[in-house]
Amino acid sequence: MNIKNMVATLLVATSLTACAVGPDYVAPTPPATASAPFVGVQSAEVTNAWPDDNWWRLYKDPVLDGLVADALAANTDVRVAVARIEKARANLRGSKSDALPQTGIDASGTYGRVSESQVLPGYDREGRRVDGELSVSYELDLFGRVKRGIEASRADLAASIEDADAVRVTVVADTVRAYVDATSAAEQIAVAQDTVALLDKSERITNARFERGLNQKLDVIRVTQLREQQAAAIPSLQATRDAAMFRLATLTGRTPQDLPASVRDRTTTPDVGQPIPVGDGATLLARRPDVKAAERRLAGDTARIGVATADLYPKITLGGSIGTTAVGVTDIFGGGPLRWLVGPMISWAFPNQEAIRSRIGGARADAKADLATFDGTVLTALEETETALSAYRNALLRKDRLASARDAAKRAADVSMARQSRGQIDALDVLDSQRTLAGAEADYASATRAVAFAQVDLFRALGGNWQET
């Protein structure tokens, strides 16, 4: 076969590579109701507008914005996820290279001496030997092994990008949650300190009345005991605040000593202060990176069925080489030492193909597992979002009720202290009203913290997208 005929054969064979064995991928379809409005969207706390990817900016807190930016840039988990994207991208380049001609160069030079018995009379026993060869090979992807491999690598890359987004969602949510934890602890400390100050005042009044014989010593002891009990809560709250600060440092890629002073100075729990846009089921599935990653993994493993199936058929490679073997440098390019070789190579595992069929069965099983994982991920995404919506709505209701209870307790405590100063009420009743107020204040501060946490959980459930930089 001359070169012209070989080129023609190559072009004809290459035109057949569009035929790829194995199933063509079809994206799975979630249940129709998965795209419906959320059950928990029928409330004033949320809207069905499309959620904001940069949801933390709804808090309008520049310190928090800076922390989130630092976390996205320096968090170690994010860096690991980005490195995995780079690995998947490198694997894709490797898969694409299989569709290109493979080339190689081999060369060697030796100088040596052979035994006298191996040399004809009159020839030198010592001499130089130079070998060189250029080889080129190209796989005719008649059955789509290479094509399916590229498809699988592309899907793996897309899945790794979605995995990185899932890490970013978690890191951002954890950063905001730690910030909320730190600021709400500061608010709870302030509430506890105010309660202690109130009980200090009550203790002074009770002690003064005791000295005038208007109260018993037991009344003073009881007020002192309640004050110390409230004061004892402050160290625990301070430890909670410190732990949240240390967590913020880790999330933003810092040591605890490097956390900015502006963060430590924040003592007000952030609040969105407006209805939260949550979209619907369709927008959720379009945003959740775990759902998108599961779909891409299914696509990748579907393509790998084709890769395994292609091994049932012959693998045809066109190859050629040109080389030289010379006994001296001056003879390398001479016509005598030159050699060349061109032709097809066929490899085929036949008739025993059981090992190949077992790999195909394994690939099909992987795809079935991926489909089940996708379906489960969709259901989990909906469950988490509906649960977060319910928790947020009820956390707000609880906070409102506790606000009313706190206000009532404060009025009762003010009245009781005023009546105590006029001797119109028993000290035990005053103590009881103060204990009730302390509990109401603490419950309200805790409810404020719970609302902020519920907001973060809702944003986490809604997912998000980030463009790679």
Side-chain angles (χ1 to χ4, degrees), residues 339-389:
R339 65 180 185 275
W340 61 270
L341 181 69
V342 64
M345 182 178 70
I346 299 177
S347 61
W348 189 14
F350 185 84
N352 183 6
Q353 297 182 323
E354 189 58 33
I356 297 173
R357 295 186 185 280
S358 69
R359 291 197 296 272
I360 296 172
R364 290 187 183 279
D366 286 340
K368 287 181 180 179
D370 289 335
L371 178 58
T373 299
F374 172 81
D375 291 340
T377 304
V378 168
L379 296 177
T380 299
L382 293 169
E383 175 198 357
E384 289 178 353
T385 304
E386 293 286 11
T387 300
L389 282 166

Side-chain angles (χ1 to χ4, degrees), residues 328-341:
V329 176
T330 57
D331 295 331
I332 292 178
F333 299 105
L338 286 177
R339 65 180 185 275
W340 61 270
L341 181 69

Side-chain angles (χ1 to χ4, degrees), residues 70-80 167 171 175 250-253:
D70 292 343
L72 289 174
N75 182 268
T76 54
D77 291 338
V78 172
R79 288 162 53 197
V80 169
V167 171
V171 167
T175 300
T250 299
L251 286 165
T252 56

Side-chain angles (χ1 to χ4, degrees), residues 107-407:
S108 66
T110 60
Y111 177 80
R113 180 179 182 181
V114 299
S115 66
E116 186 174 351
S117 63
Q118 294 178 311
V119 180
L120 295 174
Y123 286 88
D124 290 336
R125 294 173 58 190
E126 297 183 4
R128 296 177 177 84
R129 179 186 175 91
V130 179
D131 269 307
E133 182 175 276
L134 168 65
S135 61
V136 179
S137 65
Y138 177 76
E139 179 181 348
L140 300 181
D141 194 24
L142 299 179
F143 303 101
R145 186 188 70 84
V146 175
K147 177 184 176 182
R148 295 301 193 195
I150 294 173
E151 286 179 12
S153 294
R154 282 202 177 105
D156 291 343
L157 173 58
S160 69
I161 292 173
E162 297 303 337
D163 287 341
D165 266 1
V167 171
R168 292 184 179 101
V169 168
T170 299
V171 167
V172 171
D174 287 348
T175 300
V176 177
R177 189 179 181 92
Y179 184 75
V180 165
D181 208 6
T183 53
S184 66
E187 285 192 344
Q188 289 175 301
I189 290 171
V191 168
Q193 289 172 338
D194 290 344
T195 300
V196 170
L198 175 65
L199 292 171
D200 281 338
K201 180 179 178 182
S202 180
E203 183 185 30
R204 289 193 298 271
I205 294 174
T206 304
N207 194 56
R209 289 178 59 80
F210 165 71
E211 291 176 352
R212 296 198 301 271
L214 301 176
N215 279 122
Q216 300 178 9
K217 183 63 176 177
L218 181 59
D219 297 331
V220 179
I221 295 174
R222 284 171 172 163
V223 174
T224 303
Q225 182 270 334
L226 180 58
R227 183 198 62 194
E228 293 303 312
Q229 184 180 27
Q230 294 299 311
I234 295 176
S236 177
L237 292 170
Q238 186 60 56
T240 298
R241 177 172 166 79
D242 290 343
M245 289 292 184
F246 301 150
R247 179 67 178 150
L248 270 177
T250 299
L251 286 165
T252 56
R254 295 181 171 95
T255 63
Q257 292 84 353
D258 292 334
L259 198 64
S262 59
V263 179
R264 301 182 184 279
D265 292 341
R266 304 296 285 189
T267 58
T268 303
T269 302
D271 182 42
V272 173
Q274 66 180 60
I276 295 177
V278 298
D280 56 18
T283 60
L284 175 70
L285 300 183
R287 286 169 51 86
R288 285 274 298 218
D290 55 344
V291 173
K292 293 185 286 184
E295 184 272 332
R296 288 291 82 202
R297 287 193 175 89
L298 174 58
D301 280 342
T302 301
R304 274 182 271 273
I305 297 174
V307 174
T309 304
D311 289 338
L312 289 173
Y313 303 95
K315 178 181 177 182
I316 302 175
T317 303
L318 295 179
S321 66
I322 183 171
T324 183
T325 300
V327 296
V329 176
T330 57
D331 295 331
I332 292 178
F333 299 105
L338 286 177
R339 65 180 185 275
W340 61 270
L341 181 69
V342 64
M345 182 178 70
I346 299 177
S347 61
W348 189 14
F350 185 84
N352 183 6
Q353 297 182 323
E354 189 58 33
I356 297 173
R357 295 186 185 280
S358 69
R359 291 197 296 272
I360 296 172
R364 290 187 183 279
D366 286 340
K368 287 181 180 179
D370 289 335
L371 178 58
T373 299
F374 172 81
D375 291 340
T377 304
V378 168
L379 296 177
T380 299
L382 293 169
E383 175 198 357
E384 289 178 353
T385 304
E386 293 286 11
T387 300
L389 282 166
S390 175
Y392 179 51
R393 180 176 64 254
N394 288 290
L396 286 173
L397 290 174
R398 180 173 181 269
K399 180 183 176 183
D400 289 343
R401 297 293 186 272
L402 288 175
S404 299
R406 179 202 58 181
D407 294 343

Side-chain angles (χ1 to χ4, degrees), residues 30 41 45 56 61 97 117 185 230 275 314 336 408 436:
V41 81
E45 294 83 13
W56 59 91
D61 187 332
S97 71
S117 63
Q230 294 299 311
T436 300

